[in-house]
Structure formats: structure tokens, C-alpha cells
Amino acid sequence: MHAIHPDPIRPGEESVWDYPRPAIAQPNGRHVRIEHRGTVVADTRVAFRVLEISHPAGWYLPPGSIATGALLPYEQRSFCEWKGVAVYWHLAVGGEVLHDVAWSYPTPTAAFAGMVDHVAFYAASLDRCTVDGEVVRPQAGGFYGGWITADLGGPFKGAPGSAGW
């Protein structure tokens, strides 16, 4: 593995290379909004931001901020060494069903207990995900679900060649 060189940080930015390991959940008051096919899927100012070294923040929204009946459970599960067992969701919106678009932790570990049932979404699957009005860029790769905003410096895990980070 070669050395990783964090991107230079400008005023007002934070480097994902300064994020902790193990990951942490941080309550956040920024305005998070998700839209798809002209429908507001979720809208909140009380999300959790999950921070882990080399990853753009993952945003977890409270269940009450998500359009009623939009989430459809299915059987997929995964395990995170920090958060526990994740369950996955399809999303019904605008007359279509988007498969494998979100996940949550119904019984997270003690360190993440505050975000029980909060839902994170893959930005790449949706028309528009914003943080304080800024359209986010999705984290590269098919597994990670971080959202890249202009105030983050990388490089970010998930890009080609980052598997060993």
C-alpha cells in the first residue's frame, strides 16, 4: 500500500483524514433534504452525521422526517463493526420503487444508541440530496453511502484504488 496524502484544506473545510476511528455519531442541526421525482422524501434539521476516517459523512435522518409509507423493508442485512447490524430499505416514490436505497440500525451498539432507526440514503440513487441547500455528491463505490459537500477534503474511501485504506 502506498502512502495516502490528504488534500490541502482551505478555510472552512474539514479533512476526512481528521475524522476518528472508530466512527462516531454526531448530532447535527444542518438542513438535510431528499427529493425524488418531484416528491420530498425526507426533510429535517435533526440528523446525525457519522464520521469515520477517510469517509465523507454519512447522514442519518429520524424516521419522522421521512415521507409516511415511503420505506419498504426487505431482507438484506450487513454488519458494521462500529454500529452493529444494518437493515435495508427500498423506497416507493413517484409511482416507482427504488431498490436498496437506504439502511438503518434498529438495535445499534451503545455508542450509536441515539440514532436507533434513523435512516441513511444512498445519494446516487436519488434525484436530489442536499445539506443546507447544497446538492451533495455521492461517495464512490457501491457499498459506502457518504455524502460529499464542498466543506470536505479527501481523498475519500470508495474511489478506485482505495480498497486497502
Side-chain angles (χ1 to χ4, degrees):
M1 182 171 88
H2 57 81
I4 299 161
H5 301 284
D7 295 341
I9 299 302
R10 298 181 308 256
E13 285 185 335
E14 56 188 38
S15 174
V16 297
W17 292 94
D18 292 333
Y19 288 172
R21 186 169 176 88
I24 62 167
Q26 181 185 75
N28 196 283
R30 294 173 75 182
H31 185 202
V32 178
R33 185 175 171 102
I34 299 171
E35 301 170 30
H36 191 75
R37 302 289 189 256
T39 299
V40 176
V41 172
D43 194 322
T44 188
R45 291 183 184 271
V46 291
F48 277 91
R49 200 169 72 132
V50 172
L51 307 178
E52 181 180 354
I53 193 167
S54 78
H55 294 268
W59 292 86
Y60 288 76
L61 287 62
S65 71
I66 300 166
T68 303
L71 293 175
L72 307 172
Y74 74 108
E75 61 281 345
Q76 181 173 329
R77 303 288 184 266
S78 67
F79 178 75
C80 170
E81 63 186 310
W82 316 124
K83 296 181 287 291
V85 176
V87 299
Y88 287 79
W89 301 92
H90 299 319
L91 180 69
V93 63
E96 69 178 305
V97 175
L98 301 172
H99 294 270
D100 192 19
V101 73
W103 70 98
S104 63
Y105 293 90
T107 54
T109 62
F112 292 86
M115 54 179 247
V116 68
D117 290 331
H118 282 55
V119 180
F121 291 83
Y122 289 107
S125 302
L126 299 154
D127 289 343
R128 184 176 168 89
C129 299
T130 62
V131 176
D132 287 341
E134 176 191 346
V135 177
V136 306
R137 291 182 296 131
Q139 183 174 8
F143 182 73
Y144 301 113
W147 292 8
I148 301 171
T149 52
D151 60 350
L152 295 182
F156 307 108
K157 185 165 181 76
S162 69
W165 295 358

